[in-house]
Amino acid sequence: MRPFCYQSETCVSRLNPRQQEAMEAVSGAVLVLAGAGSGKTSVITRKIAYLIDECGLKGHQILALTFTNKAAREMKERVGQLVQGKAARGLTVSTFHNLGLNIIRRECQALGYRPGFSIFDAQDVLTLLKDLTHKEFEAAEDVCEPIQYQISNWKNDLVSPAQALAGANGPEQVLAARVYEAYEKTLKLYNGVDFDDLILQPVRLFTERPDILDKWQNRVRYLLVDEYQDTNSSQYLLVKQLVGMRANFTVVGDDDQSIYAWRGARPENLAILQADFPSLKVIKLEQNYRSTGRILKVANKLIAHNPHEFEKALWSDKGYGEPVRVISCHNEDAEAERIATEILQAQLQNQGAYKDFAILYRGNHQSRLMEMKLQTYKVPYKINGGQSFFGRTEVKDIMAYLKILLNPADDNAFLRIVNTPRREIGAATLEKLVNYATMRGVSLISASQEVGLKEYMSGNALAKVQEFGEWINGLAEQAERDDPIAAVQQMIRDMEYQDWLLQTSSGPPMAEKRMANVELLVESLKESLEVAVKKNEYADMGDAVARLVLLDILERQEEEDDSDRVQLMTLHSAKGLEYPHVFMMGMEEDLLPHRNSIDEGNVEEERRLCYVGITRARQTLTITLARKRQQFGEMLETTPSRFLDELPEADLEWEGRGDDDPSKNVQQGQATLAGLKGLLDDF
């Protein structure tokens, strides 16, 4: 068969032999072990096209899963370029959590949820846990974040509250398990699900209801999973359930880039896959289309120190390239200064783009000094990952109002907005309302309208609570009966929210910006509903709100930024990206590998993180470290990272190490400063 080729593809015009093999392997279980920069996205998108064009599958029979909305969008767009006409209609390219949301929406009755259920984001969950631990367990507030993390891990590992309590070791885990039990009951009472439930609930449903599982299995004739190494236990089981006995699927991943154990990822899922599907076909993509041969040699040597279920070695035809520079600086200030001046000199000399440079670090705190140095030299930069749009106070306020309109049982939302703007409903009044609602077993909004509430409060307090409840119920009826967007706009006018922003902002310009965010949110809801109508899909306000909440949880400001600025980011954030020139700073023990990982015996994941950083570089890689670094207000000696000893010495060019030529280092520094001065004098 001739090599598969689509002229519209912009990466490589033809698939290499291994990529071709991966595309044509359509029968049974397939694992594509795709190294960094090996063109895995091209393989996935072309395989979808191959399934439709050559294998006769319909678009609606294919399901492709990934982890971010951005990746899902790109994949679907590229398939659209490859498959012409209506053949791809109905194709589902989705995140795991969007798929879970769809399953819960369609099967909410079987799961015991009412329509209009709320999705609790991380902040909502933390607020609820603080309330529970204070009221029911009299525990300190600082235990809530560790408990939240523990509950998330339990859910990802399919551990129920009863199982958690039975297996608890010590008083801390016993408390966490008891809070977990109370949290689950309260969440169900609120008609809410959290982020982890979006996978856990479908998995439990499919386990308990084979008839429903059979229905979903019949919808999926072929399944593809991207970034398979990032799946947790519940996601793997969901995949296994959906493919069923037919077992026609392809998973694409790289165990060397599994860096998310802290959020539940299980790289051992690769080994489990082989045990569960003995006929698994393994195809390795080892040709790298990104980096020079020397960068890949350094990466291969490093990662070879980790144990592997499957061996692979990346290679490239892009030439051997320049040595990897390792610069040992006197202290962290000198380290940041050196990186900033090198980038400035390179940009001025070569007239290149600032956005071709990336500075990677293990922890966010390392960026502070780097920012100051870049500002000093007037080098434009961008820190990857800012405040989420949905994390802004004004957006969270309006989202809470929307949640209570759609789901009156959401007491979390009620408590957030009952005094936003202020309504003279004080803490004592709220406590009486909460106690009454608890006694009656009803939501706070329902309690506000019951006649019996008069026995617990009176006068102005009662009037204010009743007035608020009546207003919310009236808006909810309007949203259901008439135009929901008009109801939301009326709600914002009724509560004079713009005036509230003027009162609580630093000035009129800031209030205007915050109001613009509110208007953007309403417009996004309107667009979401309109898109659903155009696609002939059923959608209501609840669906639109749920999708916006999930969009935020998944993306957190994931949008593209094409401005000409140096990119600063953590090594975790850098995964999936590439840059011509990369600086990796802080290559020291306790930073990379991180002290917590050393203490927990998890150096292998830190090595994978270092590997990810190295393989982001296309042309040049510079590694820096400081011989002294300030910790807890004291300047302390550091130890070079053990990972430096694992790199091939012949491919490194050291500077600032004790055994190199001091005069050469001085000359290098003087040359850099002189070059900068000369370049700046020319401007």
Side-chain angles (χ1 to χ4, degrees):
M1 181 178 290
R2 63 179 174 79
F4 194 76
C5 175
Y6 281 113
Q7 295 302 319
S8 59
E9 279 281 60
T10 57
C11 49
V12 289
S13 59
R14 293 182 183 275
L15 296 179
N16 66 41
R18 295 287 74 75
Q19 292 173 327
Q20 182 91 8
E21 181 185 4
M23 182 191 70
E24 293 175 354
V26 296
S27 178
V30 178
L31 166 62
V32 178
L33 205 63
S38 62
K40 68 179 178 62
T41 304
S42 180
V43 169
I44 294 172
T45 53
R46 293 187 189 203
K47 184 157 192 169
I48 293 171
Y50 184 81
L51 287 165
I52 294 171
D53 289 344
E54 303 292 330
C55 303
L57 288 185
K58 306 294 184 185
H60 66 83
Q61 296 174 317
I62 301 170
L63 170 61
L65 295 174
T66 186
F67 282 85
T68 68
N69 283 306
K70 178 184 173 185
R73 280 196 305 271
E74 289 178 353
M75 202 180 294
K76 198 159 190 175
E77 286 169 6
R78 289 174 69 169
V79 172
Q81 294 171 357
L82 298 173
V83 181
Q84 304 302 316
K86 300 177 181 179
R89 181 175 293 173
L91 169 68
T92 300
V93 182
S94 166
T95 65
F96 271 94
H97 292 89
N98 257 320
L99 173 66
L101 175 61
N102 279 334
I103 294 170
I104 294 173
R105 278 185 59 244
R106 293 176 185 272
E107 311 293 348
C108 66
Q109 188 174 359
L111 283 163
Y113 293 105
R114 300 183 298 281
F117 58 86
S118 299
I119 300 177
F120 280 47
D121 66 15
Q123 191 57 51
D124 294 330
V125 170
L126 187 58
T127 300
L128 178 54
L129 289 174
K130 285 178 179 178
D131 186 54
L132 285 172
T133 53
H134 174 68
K135 286 182 179 176
E136 297 190 25
F137 301 96
E138 297 181 350
E141 191 174 287
D142 59 4
V143 305
C144 292
E145 287 193 23
I147 288 175
Q148 181 179 15
Y149 180 73
Q150 179 64 74
I151 290 173
S152 179
N153 283 342
W154 276 328
K155 288 195 170 191
N156 288 333
D157 289 337
L158 306 165
V159 177
S160 69
Q163 291 169 325
L165 188 57
N169 293 316
E172 290 181 358
Q173 280 212 339
V174 169
L175 174 63
R178 290 174 61 207
V179 173
Y180 181 20
E181 183 178 34
Y183 167 73
E184 286 291 88
K185 288 178 180 176
T186 307
L187 204 57
K188 202 65 180 277
L189 187 67
Y190 286 1
N191 196 34
V193 297
D194 61 24
F195 187 62
D196 299 313
D197 280 326
L198 295 177
I199 307 298
L200 176 64
Q201 296 300 337
V203 166
R204 284 182 175 168
L205 177 68
F206 289 161
T207 302
E208 296 165 6
R209 293 286 302 273
D211 57 320
I212 294 177
L213 173 59
D214 186 61
K215 178 176 67 176
W216 284 87
Q217 284 177 341
N218 288 331
R219 294 181 180 182
V220 182
R221 296 291 301 280
Y222 203 93
L223 177 67
L224 302 99
V225 182
D226 190 18
E227 303 288 5
Y228 175 74
Q229 78 281 346
D230 293 338
T231 55
N232 58 36
S233 299
S234 56
Q235 287 163 338
Y236 172 64
L237 185 51
L238 182 62
V239 168
K240 188 177 175 184
Q241 288 173 326
L242 287 172
V243 300
M245 297 298 292
R246 189 182 291 121
N248 282 332
F249 66 89
T250 296
V251 300
V252 182
D254 181 7
D255 51 345
D256 290 333
Q257 295 188 77
S258 181
I259 57 174
Y260 296 118
W262 50 275
R263 69 183 190 197
R266 296 284 180 265
E268 58 267 28
N269 282 350
L270 288 163
I272 296 171
L273 189 72
Q274 196 165 36
D276 286 344
F277 300 93
S279 61
L280 179 73
K281 183 180 180 67
V282 180
I283 301 168
K284 300 177 186 178
L285 303 185
E286 297 172 294
Q287 182 176 358
N288 175 284
Y289 292 93
R290 174 189 300 161
S291 307
T292 64
R294 195 187 307 255
I295 289 171
L296 296 179
K297 178 183 174 184
V298 169
N300 287 335
K301 287 288 186 182
L302 173 73
I303 206 64
H305 288 79
N306 272 5
H308 286 84
E309 189 74 26
F310 307 99
E311 297 292 337
K312 71 176 187 307
L314 296 178
W315 61 276
S316 169
D317 60 5
K318 292 187 172 297
Y320 200 50
E322 299 179 22
V324 172
R325 293 194 303 151
V326 184
I327 303 174
S328 176
C329 303
H330 175 64
N331 56 30
E332 57 193 327
D333 186 83
E335 178 188 39
E337 174 99 7
R338 181 62 183 271
I339 294 172
T341 54
E342 288 232 351
I343 290 174
L344 182 60
Q345 184 183 26
Q347 196 275 337
L348 291 173
Q349 277 184 336
N350 304 322
Q351 297 298 300
Y354 283 117
K355 64 183 178 181
D356 288 343
F357 295 87
I359 304 172
L360 312 182
Y361 37 80
R362 179 62 176 85
N364 281 308
H365 66 279
Q366 293 172 259
S367 70
R368 295 168 194 154
L369 189 56
M370 194 69 249
E371 283 188 79
M372 291 170 60
K373 294 298 181 183
L374 293 172
Q375 289 169 6
T376 298
Y377 289 100
K378 296 182 172 55
V379 174
Y381 66 90
K382 174 183 182 292
I383 292 186
N384 187 289
Q387 184 189 26
S388 160
F389 174 75
F390 285 77
R392 291 177 167 88
T393 301
E394 62 275 12
V395 176
K396 286 189 77 71
D397 285 346
I398 302 304
M399 287 296 287
Y401 272 101
L402 293 173
K403 287 178 181 180
I404 200 72
L405 289 182
L406 298 163
N407 178 17
D410 193 337
D411 287 350
N412 247 25
F414 179 97
L415 292 170
R416 179 180 179 90
I417 51 94
V418 67
N419 272 315
T420 305
R422 294 188 186 93
R423 295 188 176 86
E424 300 176 21
I425 300 175
T429 300
L430 279 176
E431 186 174 3
K432 291 176 182 176
L433 179 62
V434 168
N435 289 339
Y436 175 76
T438 303
M439 179 192 71
R440 293 278 299 125
V442 297
S443 69
L444 295 176
I445 203 78
S446 296
S448 73
Q449 302 301 290
E450 288 198 354
V451 176
L453 186 60
K454 293 179 181 178
E455 298 177 17
Y456 291 81
M457 65 178 74
S458 59
N460 188 56
L462 177 63
K464 290 289 183 182
V465 167
Q466 289 177 329
E467 180 184 349
F468 178 69
E470 288 171 6
W471 177 64
I472 289 291
N473 285 336
L475 285 169
E477 289 175 10
Q478 183 184 345
E480 189 173 354
R481 183 181 62 247
D482 303 319
D483 179 3
I485 298 299
V488 172
Q489 291 167 333
Q490 182 64 49
M491 176 189 75
I492 294 169
R493 287 193 297 270
D494 285 352
M495 62 180 173
E496 299 177 337
Y497 193 72
Q498 191 161 10
D499 291 341
W500 169 250
L501 291 179
L502 278 168
Q503 295 170 34
T504 56
S505 300
S506 57
M510 179 55 69
E512 288 177 15
K513 286 182 180 179
R514 295 177 68 190
M515 193 62 201
N517 287 332
V518 172
E519 290 165 354
L520 177 59
L521 172 64
V522 176
E523 187 61 29
S524 298
L525 285 170
K526 183 179 178 182
E527 288 177 6
S528 180
L529 289 169
E530 289 173 350
V531 167
V533 170
K534 286 179 182 177
K535 291 182 176 180
N536 294 319
E537 295 176 354
Y538 170 76
D540 58 15
M541 181 66 82
D543 180 57
V545 170
R547 293 198 179 282
L548 284 178
V549 173
L550 181 56
L551 178 73
D552 171 62
I553 294 173
L554 287 171
E555 294 193 2
R556 298 292 182 194
Q557 293 295 81
E558 200 183 64
E559 73 272 7
E560 293 282 342
D561 178 7
D562 199 38
S563 56
D564 189 21
R565 296 187 280 177
V566 174
Q567 302 296 303
L568 276 67
M569 69 193 75
T570 64
L571 288 161
H572 282 99
S573 299
K575 186 169 176 290
L577 304 175
E578 59 182 79
Y579 299 93
H581 311 289
V582 168
F583 289 82
M584 285 177 61
M585 57 188 297
M587 187 68 82
E588 304 146 28
E589 290 290 297
D590 297 345
L591 269 181
L592 187 65
H594 195 275
R595 168 49 53 189
N596 291 344
S597 296
I598 295 171
D599 292 343
E600 294 165 4
N602 198 16
V603 171
E604 288 176 11
E605 175 147 329
E606 292 291 296
R607 188 176 286 109
R608 292 195 291 268
L609 193 57
C610 186
Y611 172 86
V612 165
I614 291 170
T615 53
R616 299 312 95 195
R618 287 162 50 190
Q619 297 170 21
T620 69
L621 172 65
T622 303
I623 296 170
T624 65
L625 61 151
R627 295 190 292 277
K628 291 183 179 179
R629 193 173 293 274
Q630 192 163 16
Q631 297 178 45
F632 311 111
E634 185 179 358
M635 190 65 74
L636 301 175
E637 299 277 348
T638 67
T639 303
S641 170
R642 69 189 72 186
F643 298 150
L644 289 170
D645 295 331
E646 299 173 358
L647 305 182
E649 184 69 25
D651 295 284
L652 306 182
E653 187 178 272
W654 275 86
E655 181 183 332
R657 191 169 61 172
D659 61 354
D660 57 3
D661 184 355
S663 61
K664 181 182 176 183
N665 294 340
V666 172
Q667 291 170 6
Q668 176 72 32
Q670 289 175 341
T672 299
L673 291 173
L676 277 174
K677 185 177 184 300
L679 287 165
L680 292 170
D681 287 344
D682 292 339
F683 278 79

